[in-house]
Amino acid sequence: MSAIDGYDRYLDWDEVAARTRAIAERAPAWARVDEIGQTREGRPLLLLTIGDQAGDPDARPGFWLDGGTHASEWTSVMAALYAAERWVDALAAGEPDAITRFSRHTVYVAPCISPDGYDAMRRGAPYIRSTLRPARDGRPRPGLRARDLDGDGEVRWMRWRHPAGSWVFADPENPIKMRRRRLDDDPADAFFVATEGTFDHFDGVRWLEAGWEHALDLNRNFPAAWGPFSMFGMDGGDFPLSEPESRAVVEAFRARPRIAAGLTNHTYTGCILVPPYRDPSPLGRPDLELMEQLAGEAVEGTSYRVFKIVPDFTYDLKQSVVGVWADTMAATFGVVGFTLELWDPFGFAGESVEKPAEQFRKPDEGLLHRLLDAFRDEPGAVVPWRAFDHPQLGPVELGGIAYQTTIRNPPPRLLPEECARGFVVADRILRALPRVRATAEATALGGDAHRVELRLENLGYLATSGLRRAEAIGTAPPIHVRAEGLEVLEGTRAQDKGWLDGWGTHKVGSHHIYPDLPSDRGVRVAATWIVRGKGTLTLHWDAGRGGVGTVTLELG
């Protein structure tokens, strides 16, 4: 099976789990699957570890990739699986570059971190934000509940005429288009337009929304800047990590302290999101500039853009963005953490939107109509209005767009291309991990004494701490070296050597006209000892997110 087989459709949860395990079975010397926790409904949270399984994969610089934080974002799951399969296929084929890379580094792939919600939506449930956590107050909610009324497998739109309606026809050539009613419109042309569904606890009079049955947004339940959250009917949980899914993810992440970079897949917009998440940011300017620079390089040639959360991708500048997983990677752990918003339906329609988040609060009707036009030729994407006898409302019309495979995710025929685009981004960030090279030499001083030097060099893009934030909060300790085996005459047997920059770290802020060298620590460091004796001297080094290793010298 090649890496692109089966990526022209969206897998159900059982297929996702089976494929995750099959990927590991294809190259057991290079991959394994662990269960890092369970969901509310008992489904396993799977983590695929890709790297040389000889020794300890967790001792090497690591990269984290996940998908499925939000149940409706099916592409995020498929893209995570696709990346894992590309990497493992290369290892199974014995490709030299892959062998070298995964001997030095480890990748952790959690393809779906909200399996309950994902599974429900793949089985036809209406929109679910993340998990199946019930309403916090446990009370029944009267009002319209989304349901597939005509059995076509899609929850589309529903409309009925009424002089108090807020919508009218927008285009006689394409009657599926509706627009907001204006003062000069004839009341006889007015409609109510809603999601296809029926009313729970209907009193026969009021036409109201019931609100979401499962309103938890898992991407507001992580520790970074967590606080009570409410937007679009969603909430961020009762407290940070109140949900088994978010708690398992964070515990697994923390248990692998050499992870230096992470990418969490989402949809939609076609962009990579970078901090700051708030102003002021807990990240200093060097970290912010580094992440923006790396993001720009990661998406080069993919058509994805780079947006800063504040001010470019914020729904409401007066409301803090709280509890986000990528922000937790960076602010809580000091790890380079990005959100990748796969799939750009606006770009599919030939449109470029400068501030995509504003479309949720202040939609451009003309832009939305052009989106509908763009999807008219996709089979099953847009269905004209057709008469339907509603069990509570009587005569209505059903129609509209298949939201899940047009706006939220690409049509299946475009899924392989989108997964491949996401792989480019993930693979480039993987290539940015720190990579420490160690060499040692001994100089005879007479008798059985030697001067020994251990030199460490970071050949990777990122610093051995990931972000400087990690140095400040203690999540990435400084480089530690230790000499064992012979008597040490001079030099402390165990030494701390600070952190090493990466070549990308120094590049931040560099001016081509005024070239310079690092001003504080650079990419190289040395430790020296004078030792006495004959036999084996073992030099251990631990470079934090740069990995660990030993060098042995035979003296005598």
Side-chain angles (χ1 to χ4, degrees), residues 7 10 59 75 108 121 131 138 199 267 282 287 295 337 433 442 471 477 493 508 520 531 538 542:
Y7 287 89
Y10 295 99
T75 312
Y108 306 96
M121 287 204 66
T131 75
F199 291 88
T267 68
D287 285 344
L433 295 181
E471 303 168 23
R493 186 177 291 275
V508 174
D520 50 2
V531 301
T538 303
D542 183 334

Side-chain angles (χ1 to χ4, degrees), residues 239-306:
F239 52 87
L241 305 184
S242 62
E243 305 310 304
E245 296 86 355
S246 55
R247 187 164 59 253
V249 165
V250 168
E251 287 176 350
F253 193 90
R254 182 65 186 95
R256 294 156 177 82
R258 301 190 194 280
I259 294 173
L263 181 69
T264 178
N265 285 340
H266 287 252
T267 68
Y268 62 96
T269 295
C271 68
I272 191 168
L273 303 179
V274 301
Y277 281 79
R278 67 201 67 88
D279 185 14
S281 171
L283 304 181
R285 189 176 71 177
D287 285 344
L288 294 173
E289 291 179 347
L290 171 69
M291 292 181 67
E292 185 175 3
Q293 170 188 283
L294 176 55
E297 294 189 37
V299 302
E300 186 174 348
T302 65
S303 79
Y304 296 151
R305 293 177 291 172
V306 178

